[in-house]
Amino acid sequence: MKLCPGGALGLSYLKAVRAPLPDIPIVPTGGDIDAVGAWLAAGAVAVGLGGPLIGDALALDGDLHALAERAQAVCAAVGARQ
């Protein structure tokens, strides 16, 4: 189930939904990269990242190095949970 907007609803909302529905996989979207680990720790099965991950990378003069750094941060947050 998609939980949107995750950033506005927050971790407590995810925990409240998961309490009576522990078998329903929930994917929050609309948050930021710094919250990926917290979402996973709260029970999310994945996290949807659009703009916070892509940034300006799709622009003609976009910063691909910054995109790579953001992707590495997300991978580190996921890896820390395994």
Side-chain angles (χ1 to χ4, degrees):
M1 177 174 76
K2 180 179 178 181
L3 178 67
C4 181
L9 296 170
L11 296 169
S12 60
Y13 184 77
L14 172 62
K15 292 176 185 177
V17 170
R18 289 205 31 86
L21 304 169
D23 297 328
I24 303 295
I26 300 175
V27 179
T29 64
D32 61 39
I33 291 172
D34 295 334
V36 168
W39 282 115
L40 296 174
V45 297
V47 177
L49 296 170
L53 176 63
I54 300 300
D56 70 349
L58 298 178
L60 184 58
D61 60 345
D63 189 348
L64 296 179
H65 181 70
L67 170 59
E69 289 177 346
R70 290 187 295 273
Q72 287 173 347
V74 170
C75 290
V78 171
R81 297 288 314 144
Q82 296 187 23

